[in-house]
Amino acid sequence: HFALGFPGGFAGVDVFFVISGYLITAILLRRLATAPRRFSFANFWKRRCRRLFPASAVVLAVVLAVGNGTMLREQYTKLSHQTAAVLLLGANFHFYNVTDSYFFDQESIPLLHCWSLAVEEQFYLVYPLALSTLFVRRCGSRGGDGVRAAVFLAVAVFASFAFAVVLAPVDPNFAFFLLPSRVWEMCVGGLAWLFECYM
């Protein structure tokens, strides 16, 4: 991102989404397998907040402090809007609306990298609801819930990837920043974990 001579850094975000999907699928399906009727969306999000919020709060505080001493008023106002978007789990929507391209604006927007965190957080809102609705009870059961989860994830991968491919030439910023065209990466991670269960 800082042009220090190490190419390919943007692919790291794609890998991050796959790993995130793998880990979240493991957490959710293990919980649903042991106590499907006692799964708590609130407890799931409480654990996610404990993992994400401390580091995010430190980053926001440092960037705001540095910005306060180095930015003009108009720039700092924009930074405060970015910070609010991050706190409201909507940084990707904010940057989709205010930037022409991630690759063009990256050096002038201190919190631009938080778009990927917002995508992950939005995935955390949708994915547990989808899996718990499927009543997945036993990961890896060859004839039941594990298969249904795998079919669901495969369909999600195909639909999201096809959407991203079709949309990229028309609205590349949408394809880059927003969840619908990124879901396939996280669901690939989920499929990888289910594949381990079957193996």
Side-chain angles (χ1 to χ4, degrees):
H1 289 75
F2 286 99
L4 298 177
F6 300 98
F10 294 100
V13 175
D14 302 298
V15 174
F16 165 76
F17 284 145
V18 173
I19 293 171
S20 179
Y22 178 94
L23 294 174
I24 293 305
T25 301
I27 291 168
L28 288 171
L29 293 188
R30 283 173 181 158
R31 180 60 179 163
L32 288 166
T34 57
R37 299 188 182 281
R38 290 188 296 174
F39 173 76
S40 169
F41 185 74
N43 287 338
F44 169 80
W45 251 90
K46 190 184 298 182
R47 290 193 295 272
R48 295 301 92 205
C49 287
R50 286 176 183 162
R51 183 181 74 84
L52 297 173
F53 184 73
S56 180
V58 170
V59 169
L60 293 177
V62 169
V63 170
L64 284 171
V66 172
N68 187 48
T70 60
M71 289 181 166
L72 299 174
R73 183 174 181 177
E74 182 180 353
Q75 292 175 311
Y76 197 71
T77 299
K78 290 180 179 179
L79 179 60
S80 67
H81 293 162
Q82 296 169 35
T83 303
V86 172
L87 292 172
L88 293 173
L89 315 184
N92 58 333
F93 289 104
H94 177 76
F95 296 127
Y96 169 69
N97 286 319
V98 302
T99 62
D100 295 323
S101 166
Y102 182 95
F103 301 96
F104 177 77
D105 293 322
Q106 58 181 299
E107 295 179 2
S108 60
I109 304 177
L111 295 176
L112 183 58
H113 64 284
C114 291
W115 75 270
S116 60
L117 179 62
V119 169
E120 186 182 23
E121 291 163 339
Q122 291 155 20
F123 182 69
Y124 292 165
L125 289 172
V126 176
Y127 194 55
L129 293 176
L131 285 185
S132 60
T133 300
L134 287 173
F135 298 107
V136 180
R137 292 182 177 84
R138 296 184 307 280
C139 169
S141 63
R142 294 185 177 276
D145 295 322
V147 173
R148 277 195 295 164
V151 170
F152 166 76
L153 290 175
V155 170
V157 167
F158 176 80
S160 175
F161 183 75
F163 179 75
V165 169
V166 170
L167 188 67
V170 179
D171 191 346
N173 252 19
F174 188 111
F176 186 89
F177 281 115
L178 301 186
L179 179 63
S181 49
R182 292 289 184 170
V183 162
W184 72 272
E185 295 173 309
M186 288 168 274
C187 288
V188 163
L191 280 173
W193 190 79
L194 281 171
F195 179 77
E196 282 191 9
C197 290
Y198 283 104
M199 295 301 288

